[in-house]
Amino acid sequence: MFSTMISFQAMFSCLMICLSGYALIRARTSEDSIRFFFFFLGMLYEVFFPCYAGNEVVEKSEELLFNLYSSNWPELDTHSKKMLLTFSIRLNDPIIIKFGFIKRLRLRTFTEVVDISYKIYAVLQRTQK
């Protein structure tokens, strides 16, 4: 449901990180530098938080599967064992939050967004020379 919105947010945030970094370097007054610096940090946080949360969901789902296998399941009744078996089969594939039908929300995605932002920034710097 949120896949399209998150992908647009990531693209927009990538552009805003790049432009705010460029504006930070080009700021003429210290007041403007402070404003652009805090805007830059805010945009980084806006991208980092969903990526961190997606990474945590994957890690916790993998931890849940380990805890399920480590539990005292042999002492359960037959119906509960069947339920645990069904649940463990579902947990064999970790829970992954995706956006844009391709990208997964994880910490690596954050570094990719920052990397793309820096590449755009470098192109902007090169055109100013």
Side-chain angles (χ1 to χ4, degrees):
M1 178 176 173
F2 295 108
S3 175
T4 305
M5 290 189 302
I6 291 175
S7 62
F8 279 122
Q9 178 192 359
M11 289 186 305
F12 181 72
S13 296
C14 179
L15 182 63
M16 294 308 293
I17 289 169
C18 166
L19 292 176
S20 63
Y22 184 75
L24 177 63
I25 299 300
R26 296 282 181 185
R28 299 194 187 274
T29 65
S30 60
E31 184 177 292
D32 286 343
S33 296
I34 291 171
R35 284 182 185 160
F36 286 123
F37 177 73
F38 282 113
F39 183 76
F40 181 77
L41 287 179
M43 292 308 295
L44 283 175
Y45 179 75
E46 184 177 318
V47 174
F48 176 76
F49 185 70
C51 293
Y52 177 77
N55 195 62
E56 285 295 307
V57 167
V58 171
E59 286 183 7
K60 293 299 180 184
S61 71
E62 290 171 349
E63 184 180 322
L64 183 60
L65 181 61
F66 176 76
N67 290 338
L68 182 67
Y69 286 129
S70 300
S71 69
N72 199 9
W73 61 269
E75 295 180 5
L76 296 175
D77 61 287
T78 307
H79 178 69
S80 298
K81 286 180 184 179
K82 287 180 183 179
M83 298 282 285
L84 279 176
L85 178 63
T86 304
F87 188 56
S88 66
I89 290 171
R90 173 59 186 104
L91 285 176
N92 279 329
D93 297 325
I95 299 169
I96 298 171
I97 300 173
K98 293 183 179 183
F99 70 93
F101 309 109
I102 299 171
K103 286 289 186 182
R104 297 175 5 177
L105 278 178
R106 55 187 178 160
L107 292 177
R108 181 163 176 82
T109 306
F110 172 72
T111 58
E112 290 170 357
V113 167
V114 172
D115 183 52
I116 291 169
S117 298
Y118 180 74
K119 288 176 182 176
I120 295 170
Y121 168 79
V123 168
L124 282 174
Q125 281 291 92
R126 191 161 180 97
T127 59
Q128 291 297 317
K129 290 183 179 182

